Amino acid sequence: MSLMTEAQLENITLDWFKNLEYQIVNDVQINPDSNQPERQSYSDVILEERLESALTRINPAIPKEAILDAKKKFLQTEKPSIVEENRRLHTYFVEGVDVEFYAEDGTLTSDKVWPLDFNDLDNN
């Protein structure tokens, strides 16, 4: 039995997303030296503008400053091991990201920012 390479796994995953009708973009199109870069460095794993756009679209009732706070929580590393860090991020996906913000009436309010829309899958 041969092991699957990372490239093979990536292609299988991309095919899976294509079948779910997600837009697939080649990494060459968005890399730092492309005409339309979406990452500043090759080591950037998360496409920050896309993350912020998705958080805003999925959470329209949440103010911009709270969206930026949630984005910051996704981007920062908090745990010393990759396993713990993956668990932390997984929790954000399934339980949402806790944020605080001032409501229109001036009261301090807390809510969740969701990175996935579980009610409208087409919104993801």
Side-chain angles (χ1 to χ4, degrees), residues 14-25:
L14 288 173
D15 285 342
W16 181 63
F17 280 118
K18 282 180 196 174
N19 289 335
L20 292 172
E21 299 180 5
Y22 278 84
Q23 177 190 9
I24 306 300
V25 180

Side-chain angles (χ1 to χ4, degrees), residues 77-86 88:
T77 302
E78 294 181 1
K79 302 295 183 180
S81 83
I82 193 166
V83 172
E84 290 176 284
E85 186 63 15
N86 282 342
R88 180 185 72 87

Side-chain angles (χ1 to χ4, degrees), residues 16-71:
W16 181 63
F17 280 118
K18 282 180 196 174
N19 289 335
L20 292 172
E21 299 180 5
Y22 278 84
Q23 177 190 9
I24 306 300
V25 180
N26 186 306
D27 63 330
V28 174
Q29 296 171 289
I30 61 172
N31 280 334
D33 54 357
S34 70
N35 291 336
Q36 296 177 319
E38 290 191 41
R39 62 181 89 217
Q40 295 177 5
S41 164
Y42 284 97
S43 63
D44 292 345
V45 176
I46 298 175
L47 303 177
E48 293 186 32
E49 289 181 27
R50 287 187 185 217
L51 173 61
E52 185 177 329
S53 174
L55 294 176
T56 301
R57 182 180 64 253
I58 294 167
N59 303 277
I62 304 293
K64 180 76 168 183
E65 67 271 8
I67 293 293
L68 294 176
D69 183 39
K71 175 185 166 184

Side-chain angles (χ1 to χ4, degrees), residues 108-124:
L108 186 61
T109 306
S110 63
D111 206 340
K112 297 264 188 194
V113 170
W114 297 92
L116 296 172
D117 189 336
F118 292 105
N119 296 317
D120 181 3
L121 298 179
D122 291 332
N123 199 26
N124 292 316

